Amino acid sequence: MDVVQLTQRLVQVPSVNPMGHKVDQPEIQLEHRLGDLLEQIFQEIGVEYERIEVAPQRDNVIACLPGTSDKIIVLEAHQDTVPVEGMTVDPFGGTRVENRIYGRGSCDVKGGMAMCLAVLSRLKESPGENLPTVLVACTVNEECGFTGARHLATTWKNGNSKLISKLPDAVFVAEPTLMNVVVSHKGVIRWRCHALGQAAHSSKPSVGDNAIYRMANVLNLIREYEQSVLANAPEQGPLGPPTISVGTIEGGVSVNTVPDCCTIEIDRRVLPGESQDDVRQEVIDYIASKIDDPKKVQHDPPYMSSPGLPLAESNQALANHIASVAKDFGVTSESMQVAYGTDSPAYFAIGVPSVVFGPGSLTQAHTKDEFIEVEQLYQATDILEAVCRKFG
């Protein structure tokens, strides 16, 4: 199967993550249709597969090509994309213009998924000697929760997979890394915070209690926390310090009504080794210690939480293997530590080494004219195929 044509087929099937919005909106099209296409592709390749429900209309789809060695490796990519609002290209066109393929997910990460599928197809057509068992795992909900990867890791850990009877030896997670290898990255915890007040007519605001004003105080305290506590936190090399950011704010029903509620979403990036729950509680306690009425500031449970990926010898060994193979193709593949998160920690948490590798640049992910370079697709596919053949 041609990796470019596969990328186009995948992009042309919407698989938009709700990202916290209601799933009954017409622009929200979950991963179920892409799951149908993946089943079709695995049937075309001629490999056994299983489809596992993670949530309604959101299924992990995993295929297996048995090998001749005792090793098991996994090529993993997430099915979901971010929303398409504001795009200047057809989000589901999969259009090729010269040496680029455009559309939502072309870079993040359907190009990487196509790489995995193309490698599986090549290995099926020409298996070779001493080949490891190769799984292609297409997971759901990476963009807002990593729940697909966690579900798959739990399936393996509990011995409930129909395809393999032991834990894999390595997981290669597809993301746009320009064919470098991410060996370590930050984690994240996100939650909603509500400032409560009392509604009143705006002609007599003193009768009410303005929740937006209270949230303004909370925002100032979060900024203060960032500049005092986090600014003095120890850094971990290229990962830098832990960070905090407020990404959304919503409050009020009309301009002539004193608002009784205001809500923000908080994003706290964690370093490997930090506890997501502990750092969240640290933020909550900091705000409570300085606000006038702590009971009027409430925090929801986290809706997203993932640990960082630590810098481990097992991950570096995988990166060295990729770098050695890439060199044979004239590609320099460097080890990287990055601030963003991936599915990798879910697999590392059950004792499986996992690194991140793929075609495309992160600077094109989530953009209004998202694209991926055709040359990158072919190069990454050649490298990953050789990585598989030389792993057993």
Side-chain angles (χ1 to χ4, degrees):
M1 289 186 171
D2 179 71
V3 67
V4 170
Q5 293 177 1
L6 280 169
T7 300
Q8 292 177 297
R9 290 175 71 182
L10 295 170
V11 170
Q12 288 163 357
V13 177
S15 54
V16 176
N17 194 309
M19 303 292 288
H21 298 289
K22 294 181 179 179
V23 298
D24 58 356
Q25 299 180 55
E27 67 272 17
I28 301 300
Q29 302 184 51
L30 299 172
E31 297 97 329
H32 61 103
R33 286 181 56 196
L34 188 60
D36 294 341
L37 175 60
L38 288 167
E39 284 195 76
Q40 179 183 335
I41 290 173
F42 290 141
Q43 290 169 3
E44 293 171 8
I45 296 174
V47 289
E48 185 181 0
Y49 64 90
E50 62 179 338
R51 184 167 180 168
I52 305 172
E53 183 180 71
V54 177
Q57 301 189 76
R58 313 187 81 173
D59 303 335
N60 288 339
V61 187
I62 307 99
C64 178
L65 178 64
T68 52
S69 78
D70 61 350
K71 301 292 186 181
I72 300 174
I73 60 176
V74 181
L75 315 181
E76 194 259 30
H78 62 87
Q79 301 177 41
D80 57 320
T81 71
V82 296
V84 301
E85 286 84 356
M87 291 196 71
T88 58
V89 298
D90 182 352
F92 309 122
T95 306
R96 178 171 179 173
V97 179
E98 296 181 347
N99 293 318
R100 293 174 175 177
I101 299 173
Y102 288 86
R104 179 57 84 224
S106 55
C107 178
D108 185 12
V109 68
K110 291 181 177 180
M113 180 181 289
M115 168 190 69
C116 299
L117 295 170
V119 167
L120 190 71
S121 176
R122 292 181 184 184
L123 297 176
K124 178 66 165 62
E125 291 179 7
S126 180
E129 298 181 358
N130 202 35
L131 189 71
T133 292
V134 177
L135 270 65
V136 170
C138 303
T139 59
V140 298
N141 193 33
E142 187 268 354
E143 295 289 358
C144 193
F146 309 106
T147 53
R150 288 179 180 170
H151 191 283
L152 182 57
T154 299
T155 299
W156 292 338
K157 183 179 179 180
N158 294 341
N160 294 330
S161 171
K162 298 178 182 178
L163 300 176
I164 55 174
S165 58
K166 67 170 188 172
L167 290 178
D169 295 280
V171 178
F172 299 95
V173 172
E175 290 287 355
T177 67
L178 288 171
M179 293 178 291
N180 294 305
V181 186
V182 173
V183 294
S184 175
H185 62 66
K186 288 181 178 179
V188 64
I189 185 164
R190 294 176 183 157
W191 72 97
R192 293 179 180 89
C193 170
H194 311 279
L196 306 181
Q198 176 65 47
H201 197 283
S202 63
S203 64
K204 292 186 177 181
S206 61
V207 177
D209 182 9
N210 196 309
I212 290 179
Y213 292 170
R214 178 165 288 110
M215 185 59 80
N217 292 332
V218 172
L219 292 171
N220 285 331
L221 290 172
I222 291 175
R223 185 68 168 157
E224 180 183 297
Y225 168 83
E226 176 185 33
Q227 295 175 337
S228 58
V229 177
L230 295 189
N232 294 318
E235 299 186 10
Q236 284 193 22
L239 293 181
T243 61
I244 191 168
S245 175
V246 175
T248 68
I249 183 168
E250 181 179 5
V253 294
S254 67
V255 70
N256 62 342
T257 302
V258 174
D260 62 358
C261 184
C262 184
T263 299
I264 60 172
E265 289 182 284
I266 301 172
D267 177 302
R268 171 67 159 83
R269 299 287 166 152
V270 302
L271 294 172
E274 282 191 305
S275 162
Q276 304 98 279
D277 292 335
D278 287 350
V279 299
R280 174 178 174 271
Q281 192 61 48
E282 181 181 75
V283 175
I284 293 172
D285 292 344
Y286 189 90
I287 295 170
S289 69
K290 295 175 177 289
I291 202 76
D292 58 345
D293 192 345
K295 293 182 180 179
K296 292 186 177 181
V297 177
Q298 298 179 354
H299 298 265
D300 287 351
Y303 64 82
M304 183 174 185
S305 181
S306 177
L309 180 66
L311 184 60
E313 290 184 6
S314 58
N315 286 353
Q316 189 59 58
L318 294 181
N320 293 342
H321 177 51
I322 293 175
S324 175
V325 171
K327 188 176 180 181
D328 295 337
F329 291 88
V331 174
T332 300
S333 183
E334 298 180 352
S335 296
M336 301 170 56
Q337 299 182 61
V338 299
Y340 60 82
T342 74
D343 278 339
S344 279
Y347 309 116
F348 190 84
I350 62 169
V352 180
S354 180
V355 295
V356 186
F357 168 86
S361 169
L362 189 69
T363 59
Q364 284 303 319
H366 304 185
T367 58
K368 62 183 181 180
D369 60 345
E370 183 175 352
F371 67 82
I372 193 166
E373 301 279 356
V374 168
E375 182 182 10
Q376 284 261 322
L377 286 171
Y378 283 122
Q379 284 183 319
T381 301
D382 290 343
I383 292 169
L384 190 59
E385 178 190 2
V387 165
C388 293
R389 292 189 182 279
K390 296 181 179 181
F391 195 87

